[in-house]
Structures are given as C-alpha cells and as structure tokens.
C-alpha cells in the first residue's frame, strides 16, 4: 500500500468509525414501548437489535422467500434517522404528519458521514424499508409492527393504556403486516383480541 492508498484507507476507516460512534446515540432515543417486564421504556438500539433477532429466527414465516441477512441489515439501520428526527409515536397523528420530512433531513446528514459506497448502500436500505415493496422490506416492516405488540402484551398493555389506544388503531397500523407474513398477522390478531377482552385496548 503506497502513501496515497494509506491516507485514503485511514480516511475511510475514520468515516466508518465516526458513523459507528454517531449511531451510539440510538441508545438514548426512548420509545413509548416498555421492555417486557414493564420496568422502563426500551430505546431504539434495543428495538433494532430485537428486530434483527426476530429476522434471524422467524424468516421461515415470511410470505415470500427472503434474504435474511438483507432483512437484518435493514432492521438494524431502519431507525438510525431517529437520532435527529426523534421517535414518532405510532398513534400521534400530528407528529406523523411531519415524520417523513424530518427523517429525510436526518438521512441526508447521517448517511453522508459514511464513505460514498456505504452511504449509498445504507441509504438504499433505509429507503427500501420505507417503501415496503420488496419481499425483504415487507417482512422487515411486519417485524417492526409485531415487536411492540408483543411487548405491550407482555406488559399488560402498559403503553396502550397510558395512551388510551383503541384496538381499531392497532389494527389500522398493522394493515400491511399480513403482506409480509400471514402467520405473524394471525399471531398479532390473537394478541389484539386478547388485549381488547382484557381492557388493555379500547
């Protein structure tokens, strides 16, 4: 490796590590969902890790064959923009009205920290998740919807009750879940019905 290549290599590594350090901020982005024992809210880093684990274990339930490694990459990066844009609560109508604009601006800054090839790759993963068209994106989005429902069920609907959420709202939010996984949608339907009967959902 000559001197010029060495300099470029160091610059690349520094950009990558700067991005890695920047994403440490996901540990401080608090979500509305509680961890399973209800003791505290989960953060974005924990949420993303949980989705990656689900992708690894539940890929067989995707409606279409999926590249699980690709799904894992997607779910690990899908909430990176919340470092700048913040977590937008699923049932906050007003905040959801500005969500896309805030997240686009965040994506412009965050992914630009990376070397150009990786900026293109990770920005592409984020855009793919948002579009929800590919088999991998459909499945990743299904996981993203199922996970907070699982946590709400585990905590006796703690976050749902705090925010006065109705079963109809959860069903509406999960309108596309079946397109990623019919099997997981069946599971979610059961949890919604159970929590409505228990009074955890209006």
């Amino acid at each position: 490796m000559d001197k010029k290549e060495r300099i470029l290599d160091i610059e690349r590594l520094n950009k990558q590590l700067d991005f890695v350090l920047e994403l440490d901020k996901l540990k401080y982005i608090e979500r509305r969902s509680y961890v399973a024992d209800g003791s505290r809210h989960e953060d974005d880093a924990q949420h993303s890790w949980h989705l990656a684990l689900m992708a690894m274990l539940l890929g067989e339930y995707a409606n279409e064959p999926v590249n699980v490694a690709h799904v894992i990459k997607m779910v690990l990066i899908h909430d990176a923009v919340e470092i700048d844009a913040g977590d937008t609560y699923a049932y906050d109508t007003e905040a959801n009205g500005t969500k896309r604009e805030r997240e686009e601006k965040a994506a412009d800054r965050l992914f630009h920290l990376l070397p150009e090839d990786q900026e293109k790759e990770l920005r592409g993963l984020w855009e793919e998740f948002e579009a929800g068209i590919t088999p991998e994106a459909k499945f990743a989005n299904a996981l993203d919807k199922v996970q907070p429902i699982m946590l709400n069920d585990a905590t006796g609907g703690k976050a749902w009750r705090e925010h006065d959420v109705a079963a109809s709202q959860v069903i509406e939010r999960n309108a596309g879940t079946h397109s990623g996984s019919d099997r997981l949608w069946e599971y979610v339907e059961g949890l919604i019905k159970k929590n409505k009967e228990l009074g955890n959902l209006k």
Side-chain angles (χ1 to χ4, degrees):
M1 184 182 293
D2 62 25
K3 185 176 180 181
K4 183 178 180 181
E5 288 174 326
R6 177 67 178 165
I7 291 171
L8 291 174
D9 179 67
I10 292 171
E11 288 177 352
R12 180 177 178 83
L13 178 60
N14 285 339
K15 285 184 175 182
Q16 291 165 327
L17 293 178
D18 284 347
F19 182 77
V20 169
L21 189 58
E22 186 70 9
L23 260 64
D24 185 71
K25 293 176 181 176
L26 283 172
K27 298 172 184 176
Y28 303 98
I29 306 299
E30 192 175 86
R31 294 169 54 82
R32 300 301 198 285
S33 299
Y34 287 88
V35 295
D37 70 356
S39 61
R40 60 176 175 80
H41 290 103
E42 70 168 349
D43 63 50
D44 268 353
Q46 293 164 335
H47 171 67
S48 297
W49 162 81
H50 216 178
L51 295 189
L53 180 66
M54 291 171 71
M56 182 178 73
L57 295 175
L58 305 176
E60 65 194 87
Y61 301 110
N63 287 347
E64 305 169 75
V66 294
N67 180 328
V68 171
H70 190 78
V71 176
I72 290 173
K73 285 183 179 182
M74 201 181 303
V75 297
L76 285 174
I77 209 66
H78 81 292
D79 274 345
V81 294
E82 293 187 1
I83 289 171
D84 289 357
D87 175 59
T88 304
Y89 186 47
Y91 306 108
D92 185 336
T93 305
E94 184 177 346
N96 274 284
T98 63
K99 179 182 177 183
R100 182 65 187 183
E101 180 183 352
R102 288 183 284 111
E103 291 190 347
E104 284 277 3
K105 184 177 179 181
D108 290 342
R109 183 188 78 82
L110 286 162
F111 297 126
H112 191 62
L113 296 173
L114 286 161
E116 187 175 349
D117 61 318
Q118 291 183 323
E119 174 185 4
K120 183 178 179 180
E121 179 191 3
L122 270 65
R123 178 66 181 256
L125 286 168
W126 180 73
E127 295 283 4
E128 181 182 353
F129 178 88
E130 291 296 308
I133 295 171
T134 65
E136 285 78 10
K138 290 176 185 177
F139 187 59
N141 272 278
L143 297 177
D144 190 43
K145 301 296 189 299
V146 170
Q147 189 258 6
I149 293 176
M150 290 174 60
L151 291 178
N152 266 291
D153 178 64
T155 60
K158 189 171 182 177
W160 284 334
R161 286 185 280 105
E162 286 180 353
H163 298 280
D164 207 24
V165 176
S168 59
Q169 291 176 279
V170 181
I171 292 169
E172 182 180 354
R173 176 161 171 75
N174 278 269
T177 299
H178 68 90
S179 67
S181 173
D182 288 327
R183 185 65 188 87
L184 291 180
W185 171 239
E186 289 173 11
Y187 172 74
V188 163
E189 279 188 308
L191 293 185
I192 295 170
K193 181 180 178 182
K194 168 189 167 184
N195 281 277
K196 185 176 181 181
E197 290 171 353
L198 291 171
N200 297 327
L201 285 166
K202 292 192 300 180

